[in-house]
Amino acid sequence: MPAQNTRLSQKSVGDRADTGVANRLLDISIALAALLFFAPLMILVALAIMISGGPVLFRQMRLGQGGELFTCLKFRTMYVDAEQLLADVLANDPVARDGWEREHKLRSDPRVSFVGRFLRKTSLDELPQLFNVLAGSMSIVGPRPIVAAEARRYGRYIQTYCEVRPGITGLWQISGRNETSYRRRVACDVAYVRTKSAVKDLLIIVKTIPAVCMARGAY
């Protein structure tokens, strides 16, 4: 019986490894195809940001699989003095401060530029994360990458979040996104990880298209 259990365990590990390889190949294939398709648009976006002044890309350390930090890429949507603007708002606006404490978001964010608002509304600011997918720090589908300070909001579920690579899209994106509470976001991430499958990933990708086109919960 112990020998049989060992063989079953080895088979389970092998199945997970095969699934991981298949998912990785799918991620790479989709990322490369998307980069080729969106390349002209990405160039135009980069030029628009350059005209407004400042760097094209925004780099921020995010929490990845296994709890490791990685550099997450986005098109820059904020003014260059964004941190000072945030500090001023939180110091002088109790409503904004309360919203930031609850959701880590500002609905009317003074840090976001005119071009940035368009990029966020259309989710075009996320396109550079296709390079994160190619590098292996992100997947096409998974929990949205969080900063280390947000880990406390997940409580004991942060271990579940860290079981998979963060994704460009995920269950939260097609479930209301910023229109939902942070607690709902955590619930979506936990539900996704616990029921993860190739079929579910494909369904999320398909449902992401209308969610992005209709700008559901994006601001």
Side-chain angles (χ1 to χ4, degrees), residues 22-218:
N23 287 341
R24 182 71 185 129
L25 290 175
L26 182 62
D27 277 345
I28 292 173
S29 299
I30 294 177
L32 286 174
L35 281 171
L36 288 173
F37 181 79
F38 287 111
L41 182 57
M42 292 176 72
I43 292 173
L44 290 176
V45 170
L47 289 174
I49 296 173
M50 289 175 64
I51 292 173
S52 68
V56 171
L57 294 178
F58 173 70
R59 297 174 172 85
Q60 188 177 46
M61 300 306 293
R62 299 289 180 103
L63 199 61
Q65 187 176 30
E68 295 185 1
L69 294 174
F70 71 97
T71 303
C72 184
L73 303 176
K74 296 180 70 174
F75 280 126
R76 184 174 60 84
T77 60
M78 296 184 180
Y79 294 111
V80 291
D81 58 344
E83 292 305 317
Q84 184 58 51
L85 288 172
L86 176 63
D88 292 342
V89 170
L90 297 184
N92 300 303
D93 189 336
V95 175
R97 185 166 59 247
D98 180 64
W100 181 262
E101 286 295 324
R102 285 186 290 104
E103 308 297 341
H104 210 72
K105 292 278 186 181
L106 294 178
R107 186 170 291 274
S108 297
D109 198 329
R111 299 173 298 167
V112 182
S113 66
F114 175 77
V115 173
R117 293 187 191 284
F118 172 77
L119 295 180
R120 288 190 173 198
K121 197 70 175 178
T122 56
S123 296
L124 292 176
D125 59 319
E126 312 287 356
L127 286 178
Q129 288 167 24
L130 291 167
F131 292 107
N132 284 120
V133 174
L134 292 180
S137 54
M138 290 182 64
S139 290
I140 296 297
V141 181
R144 284 298 295 157
I146 61 174
V147 297
E150 291 178 89
R152 64 181 178 81
R153 297 176 179 267
Y154 279 73
R156 68 180 185 276
Y157 296 117
I158 190 61
Q159 294 181 350
T160 304
Y161 164 92
C162 291
E163 288 181 20
V164 299
R165 292 187 182 93
I168 294 179
T169 187
L171 187 58
W172 177 58
Q173 276 71 19
I174 63 173
S175 302
R177 200 171 174 179
N178 290 320
E179 297 298 333
T180 65
S181 67
Y182 207 100
R183 178 177 294 182
R184 174 63 176 165
R185 173 178 177 168
V186 173
C188 285
D189 288 347
V190 172
Y192 168 77
V193 174
R194 289 180 175 176
T195 61
K196 178 176 171 58
S197 70
V199 173
K200 172 167 282 189
D201 283 358
L202 289 173
L203 286 174
I204 289 175
I205 291 172
V206 171
K207 290 182 178 180
T208 296
I209 297 173
V212 170
C213 290
M214 297 176 68
R216 294 174 187 163

Side-chain angles (χ1 to χ4, degrees), residues 3-17:
Q4 182 179 4
N5 289 338
T6 300
R7 287 195 296 271
L8 289 173
S9 177
Q10 291 174 341
K11 182 178 184 300
S12 177
V13 171
D15 289 343
R16 287 197 297 271

